[in-house]
């Protein structure tokens, strides 16, 4: 857990008081027992189309996605979730201890980010090893939530890790993220320091 | 009798393999809906059924996995009959072939986690079932990851068709369903739902399924159906492939049959070759019959409680008898209070919660359903609806997510006739009180005779004795000195004849001083006599200490784990250190809920409730609110302060004179249509309530018309609307318009992460609140004139 992030989510500037800090610790311990992080990802070749990009024949329309993937030949798509237990924790405290619900919310948000970071690290590790850009998600400006059902179908998200979409394309469990990540295969030289086949352009 | 039922469980039946895999081989693309092919290319679907029949399978599954309203819209009634027709025609060429009408999950998650209401899931499935028109031989509900959704599907199948119902579940690699139940819990629950066979499909290959099948076989005597994938999916060249070859698949299926399955087939990645190999390998294997004695058990959506040697603790606190505060909560529809009582009991180690919310002046059916729904959303222990009203009981059992404990029937025929049909339909372990038309027999034999009578009646409804638990009735020793001895002897005799027992333990001490002492000692004696479960107060430290000590002494606490951890917990409680004496104002401001409550209790001797509200609570809240706005105190502290204030309110509430309502006015709040985020709204609610407003919370995802209707009906003067997502903000505008039209005088405040003052002005809201305190300040402004 990154306490700075948790504090940021809670809009706490400066040092938190002892009781808040205690509550953060409590939530962190409880959440660790209840979450069941899961992820699914796959790397696709990017095919540039007139009005967007397509991955494995699935078209993602829009300028933003094209713009954010400039310079990459491939794109990793992933989905992660903390599982239904995380939602249950927030729900449990919402009526009986709202302060804990709010802190729990922040702690879980931070954990979701961590799972995304770990997923990125896993993708980078490969094989093959990749260099990566900055991840971005449906719901960011210019990246419509309409992408969600496409991602869900491509990665079989519901079946593999149990996230489902509402009619408005929100994810349940709430503590879930889908994301795109531009990737580039590290060439042989970078991996081993030896000039390899891939640099043999001529 | 249905032909399929005649064969089911009598010999090994073979189900078919994958439909999707075969369609992909025939060129179906990932994004296409395979169900349309039933009308577009019926000959292709028919040829797949025939290939499986030729491979030797007995049950072909219609191509209707996703044939529901969510995916097909209006076309359910067209596509399902077409699919059943294709399978029927293919099967007609074989003497021993059956058609299974296939039903997969809706693809939505049910409330409370998701946005699909239980009854809406039921209606989606019911439409699907009816579209099949009973032309199949069975209904196969499969690839279910949530027991609650499975329950909706099973009820829909049983209530809209006369066909046998088979349900199979998909487990994760951890051996659990998505919603948390393991194989035993899932099998116990499915058996209670009244399916004709149950099992597992998809998820993984036959090897990994073996432990799941073994666990299921330990707890159910229903036929077990197993349809594994051809191994785990792997991605090769961007395509999903399954790698277990037919020979290896078949060899593993032999082990599955030996573990207790009587119906086997395949799921993703399996082909007619897999099924052919499976049929050849398993055809002549002997059926393994369930030998083990089945447990008496109840379940929640994720956990089970078995009645074995260790006495089960049933929390008795949610019962208004003799509890003034709970009666008040029930009258005021204060569900939070009930939920909190449930959480406290489970934290105090209750295994099951009794839920009795009957009061003469309230609608018990509605209240019991609501309490069950809310409780099962936050606690994961099984629940025990406790009511004498069969209507209230049926509503609760229908909504209950698991196999419930039912409280209760007795030897009177009218109770068994009313309750046992419900047990038959929804499942459950029933508490049987040993009394009848003539009252409670004085003798042990008299009570045992009633037990025999109830067992006989239960059998006539197909309910075996293991689904019953007998309450020999603990009566007060103060009115009958022999009462305890008679009860204990009855417990012993029932236990010796292999029956399960339960007691409302605390009755024994009624009318005598230091009741906890007598109750605890009696509980120990009853456990020694073989008591299976005690309905007790788990928050009573004395009783729970006696319980843990007994378990430690009686070989019921491995390595003394529970005894030791309970002892170390009580050591860890710091001796109440009394540093500087804080005022109530300070305690509330610091958010010390328990301390504030105790102080308020003491203060009530010197001050009136109104003085406490005006002199301590309100100033503390104002101070915290002000510091929050100055950013010297932050959201968690503000909320802690509100919680402390709430605890004080709870303590002094009964001292507030009638008529001197503390409410400053009624405010209606909700999250707008299509938005399922409610944390912001909940924070606003907490604060408003503590500032003395009555808050009507309509929840999340509320339609504009509903908001307008409620505003008008309740005549509220202020509405708060919340929206978190940009996509749902337009609904806020619609809601503002609807409220304006219905109640022109009503003020509207809006807030939420994506809102701005500018947008609030644009949609015509009266006020924009940037945070929860903003909402409080505006409310003070609106109501100050009154």
């Amino acid at each position: 857990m990154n306490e700075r992030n948790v504090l940021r989510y809670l809009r706490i500037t400066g040092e938190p008081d002892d009781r808040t800090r205690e509550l953060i610790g409590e939530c962190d311990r409880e959440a660790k027992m209840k979450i069941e992080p899961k992820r699914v990802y796959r790397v696709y070749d990017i095919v540039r189309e007139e009005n967007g990009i397509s991955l494995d024949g699935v078209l993602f329309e829009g300028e933003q996605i094209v713009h954010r993937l400039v310079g990459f030949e491939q794109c990793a798509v992933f989905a992660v979730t903390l599982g239904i237990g995380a939602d249950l924790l927030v729900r449990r405290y919402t009526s009986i201890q709202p302060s804990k619900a709010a802190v729990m919310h922040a702690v879980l948000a931070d954990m979701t980010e961590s799972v995304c970071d770990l997923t990125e690290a896993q993708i980078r590790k490969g094989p093959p090893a990749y260099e990566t850009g900055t991840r971005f998600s449906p719901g960011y400006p210019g990246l419509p939530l309409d992408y969600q059902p496409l991602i869900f179908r491509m990665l079989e998200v519901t079946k593999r890790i149990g996230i489902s979409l509402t009619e408005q394309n929100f994810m349940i469990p709430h503590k879930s993220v889908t994301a795109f990540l531009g990737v580039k295969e590290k060439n042989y030289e970078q991996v081993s320091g030896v000039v390899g086949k891939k640099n043999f352009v001529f | 009798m249905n032909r399929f039922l005649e064969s089911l469980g009598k010999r090994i039946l073979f189900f078919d393999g994958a439909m999707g895999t075969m369609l992909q081989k025939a060129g179906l693309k990932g994004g296409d809906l395979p169900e349309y092919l039933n009308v577009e290319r019926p000959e292709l679907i028919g040829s797949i059924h025939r290939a499986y029949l030729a491979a030797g399978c007995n049950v072909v599954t219609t191509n209707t996995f996703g044939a529901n309203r969510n995916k097909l819209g209006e076309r359910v009634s067209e596509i399902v009959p077409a699919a059943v027709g294709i399978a029927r025609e293919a099967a007609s060429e074989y003497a021993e072939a059956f058609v299974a009408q296939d039903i997969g999950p809706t693809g939505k998650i049910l409330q409370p986690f998701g946005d699909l209401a239980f009854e809406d899931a039921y209606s989606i499935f019911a439409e699907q079932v009816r579209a099949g028109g009973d032309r199949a031989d069975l209904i196969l509900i499969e690839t279910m990851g949530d027991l609650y959704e499975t329950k909706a599907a099973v009820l829909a199948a049983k209530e809209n068709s006369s066909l046998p119902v088979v349900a199979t579940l998909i487990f994760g690699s951890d051996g659990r369903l998505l919603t948390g139940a393991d194989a035993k819990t899932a099998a116990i629950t499915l058996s209670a739902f009244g399916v004709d066979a149950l099992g597992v499909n998809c998820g993984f290959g036959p090897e990994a399924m073996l432990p799941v099948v073994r666990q299921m076989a330990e707890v159910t005597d229903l036929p077990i159906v197993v349809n594994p994938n051809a191994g785990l999916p792997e991605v090769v060249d961007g395509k999903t492939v399954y790698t277990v070859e037919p020979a290896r698949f078949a060899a593993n299926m032999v082990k599955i049959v030996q573990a207790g399955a009587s119906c086997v087939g395949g799921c993703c990645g399996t082909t007619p070759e897999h099924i052919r190999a499976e049929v050849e390998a398993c055809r002549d294997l002997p059926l393994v019959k369930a030998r083990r004695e089945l447990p008496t058990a109840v379940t929640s959506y994720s956990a089970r409680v078995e009645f074995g040697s260790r006495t089960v603790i049933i929390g008795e606190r949610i019962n208004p008898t003799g509890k003034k505060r709970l009666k008040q909560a029930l009258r005021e529809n204060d569900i939070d209070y009930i939920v909190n009582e449930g959480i406290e009991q489970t934290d105090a180690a209750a295994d099951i919660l009794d839920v009795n919310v009957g009061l003469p002046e309230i609608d018990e059916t509605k209240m019991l359903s609501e309490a069950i729904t809310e409780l099962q959303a936050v606690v994961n222990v099984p629940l025990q609806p406790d009511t004498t009203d069969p209507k209230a009981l049926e509503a609760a059992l229908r909504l209950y997510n698991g196999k419930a404990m039912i409280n209760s029937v007795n030897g009177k025929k009218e109770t068994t006739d009313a309750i046992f049909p419900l047990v038959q339909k929804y499942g459950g372990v029933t508490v049987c009180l040993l009394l009848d038309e003539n009252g409670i027999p004085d003798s042990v034999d008299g009570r045992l005779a009633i037990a025999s009578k109830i067992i006989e009646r239960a059998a006539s409804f197909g309910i075996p004795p293991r689904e019953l638990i007998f309450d020999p009735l603990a009566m007060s020793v103060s009115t009958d000195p022999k009462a305890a001895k008679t009860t204990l002897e009855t417990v012993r005799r029932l236990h010796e004849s292999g029956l399960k027992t339960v007691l409302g333990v605390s009755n024994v001490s009624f009318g005598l001083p230091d009741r906890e002492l007598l109750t605890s000692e009696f509980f120990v004696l009853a456990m020694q006599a073989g008591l299976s479960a005690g309905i007790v107060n788990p928050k009573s430290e004395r009783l729970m200490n006696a319980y843990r000590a007994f378990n430690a002494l009686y070989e019921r606490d491995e390595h003394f784990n529970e005894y030791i951890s309970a002892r170390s917990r009580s050591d860890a409680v710091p001796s109440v250190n009394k540093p500087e004496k804080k005022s109530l104002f300070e305690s509330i401001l610091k958010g010390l809920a328990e301390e504030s409550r105790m102080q308020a209790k003491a203060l009530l001797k010197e001050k009136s409730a109104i003085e406490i509200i005006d002199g301590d609570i309100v100033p503390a809240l104002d101070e915290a609110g002000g510091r929050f706005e100055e950013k010297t105190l932050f959201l968690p502290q503000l909320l802690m302060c509100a919680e402390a204030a709430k605890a004080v309110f709870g303590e002094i509430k009964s001292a507030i004179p009638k008529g001197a309502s503390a409410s400053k006015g009624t405010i209606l709040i909700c999250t707008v249509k299509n938005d399922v985020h409610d944390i912001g709204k909940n924070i606003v609610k907490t604060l408003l309530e503590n500032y003395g407003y009555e808050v009507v919370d309509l929840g999340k995802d509320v339609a504009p018309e509903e908001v307008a209707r409620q505003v008008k009906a309740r005549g509220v003067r202020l509405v708060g609307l919340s929206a978190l997502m940009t996509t749902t903000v337009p609904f806020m505008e619609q809601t503002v318009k609807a409220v304006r039209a219905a109640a022109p005088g009503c003020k509207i405040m809006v807030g939420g992460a994506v809102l701005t003052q500018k947008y609030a002005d644009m949609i015509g809201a009266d006020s924009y609140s940037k945070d929860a305190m903003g909402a409080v300040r505006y409310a003070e402004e609106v109501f100050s004139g009154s």
Side-chain angles (χ1 to χ4, degrees), chain B residues 98-117:
Chain B
F98 306 104
V99 172
Q101 182 187 339
D102 194 39
I103 293 181
T106 59
K108 302 276 168 203
I109 294 186
L110 268 68
Q111 291 168 354
F113 305 116
D115 58 344
L116 186 63

Side-chain angles (χ1 to χ4, degrees), chain B residues 436-644:
Chain B
D436 63 9
E437 291 82 357
N438 305 316
I440 303 167
D442 288 334
S443 71
V444 175
D445 288 335
R447 293 188 200 179
L448 294 177
I450 295 178
S452 307
K453 190 162 73 178
I454 296 175
I455 290 175
E456 231 168 84
R457 295 228 184 98
S460 72
F461 288 92
I463 300 165
R466 70 161 184 276
E467 300 293 306
L468 306 175
I469 179 161
F470 297 91
D471 184 345
L473 298 166
M475 304 307 292
S476 164
V477 283
S478 64
T479 51
D480 172 8
K482 286 203 187 74
K485 280 164 76 183
T486 311
T487 302
L488 290 170
E489 179 60 11
T490 315
V491 168
R492 196 182 59 75
R493 298 265 298 273
L494 288 164
H495 174 63
E496 282 170 2
S497 47
L499 297 168
K500 304 294 180 206
T501 51
V502 60
L503 279 177
V505 178
S506 59
N507 294 343
V508 82
S509 58
F510 192 80
L512 289 168
D514 197 358
R515 289 189 60 188
E516 244 184 325
L517 171 63
L518 277 179
T519 303
S520 306
E521 297 298 317
F522 178 65
F523 189 35
V524 169
L525 293 172
M527 286 192 282
Q528 203 175 6
L531 185 70
S532 321
I535 304 179
V536 298
N537 176 10
K539 284 153 72 177
S540 157
E541 203 175 318
R542 194 163 193 172
L543 179 125
M544 292 307 281
N545 280 341
Y547 173 69
R548 292 195 183 96
F550 179 83
N551 287 339
L553 295 169
Y554 250 62
E555 224 187 331
R556 293 178 179 186
D557 183 3
E558 208 182 348
H559 307 310
F560 304 99
N561 279 339
E562 297 202 358
Y563 181 78
I564 292 170
S565 80
R567 291 341 298 158
S568 58
R569 264 201 309 279
S570 66
D571 290 348
V573 174
S575 51
V576 184
N577 48 351
K578 288 173 189 149
E580 79 284 28
K581 183 141 171 56
K582 283 194 209 74
S583 68
L584 179 57
F585 170 86
E586 281 170 296
S587 299
I588 296 174
L589 186 57
K590 286 216 150 64
L592 304 168
E594 187 52 25
E595 207 165 320
S596 303
R597 195 182 63 76
M598 297 303 288
Q599 277 172 307
K601 194 175 180 180
L603 266 183
L604 267 183
K605 291 183 188 117
E606 343 170 340
K607 287 192 193 180
S608 76
I610 302 295
E611 279 167 335
I612 293 176
I613 294 172
D614 291 340
D616 299 284
I617 303 181
V618 172
L621 284 167
D622 273 338
E623 179 67 26
R627 292 192 198 172
F628 175 75
E629 284 163 330
E630 289 163 12
K631 293 199 193 322
T632 55
L633 173 150
F634 301 99
L635 183 66
Q637 292 158 283
L638 182 63
L639 290 171
M640 283 186 246
C641 169
E643 287 153 21

Side-chain angles (χ1 to χ4, degrees), chain B residues 110 140 159 236 282 328 334 350 429 447 562 587 605 719 776:
Chain B
L110 268 68
L140 175 62
E159 291 176 352
V236 176
C282 301
Q328 186 186 0
D334 182 359
V429 169
R447 293 188 200 179
E562 297 202 358
S587 299
K605 291 183 188 117
V719 172
V776 171

Side-chain angles (χ1 to χ4, degrees), chain B residues 12 15 23 52 58 117 229 231 241 263 299 308 360 393 407 414 426 512 562 572 686 783 786:
Chain B
I12 294 179
F15 279 54
L23 291 174
Y52 279 118
N58 310 104
N229 291 344
V241 294
C263 299
T299 64
L393 181 65
N407 197 2
E414 64 196 65
Y426 299 102
L512 289 168
E562 297 202 358
T686 303
F783 289 96
S786 58

Side-chain angles (χ1 to χ4, degrees), chain B residues 71-189:
Chain B
K71 289 174 189 149
L72 301 182
E74 299 293 301
R75 294 187 67 184
V76 175
S77 57
E78 172 199 356
I79 283 172
V80 173
V84 176
I86 298 167
R88 190 83 273 169
E89 197 189 320
S92 68
E93 296 159 25
Y94 291 79
E96 271 287 78
F98 306 104
V99 172
Q101 182 187 339
D102 194 39
I103 293 181
T106 59
K108 302 276 168 203
I109 294 186
L110 268 68
Q111 291 168 354
F113 305 116
D115 58 344
L116 186 63
F118 179 80
E119 289 300 340
D120 290 340
Y122 172 90
S123 115
I124 289 171
F125 290 125
E127 179 185 19
Q128 236 176 314
V129 169
R130 283 195 299 268
D134 274 12
R135 286 173 63 222
D137 299 296
L138 66 141
I139 289 172
L140 175 62
I141 297 161
E142 54 137 329
T143 325
M144 289 293 192
D146 174 3
L147 285 172
Y148 207 25
E149 186 175 10
T150 314
K151 178 171 185 172
V154 171
L155 277 179
K158 288 168 67 102
E159 291 176 352
N160 294 279
S161 141
S162 57
L163 298 178
V165 179
V166 175
T168 61
L169 304 164
I170 176 170
F171 289 85
S173 50
D174 54 356
R176 291 174 177 276
L177 299 179
L178 269 177
T179 43
D182 65 11
K184 282 189 184 178
T185 301
I188 290 167
T189 311

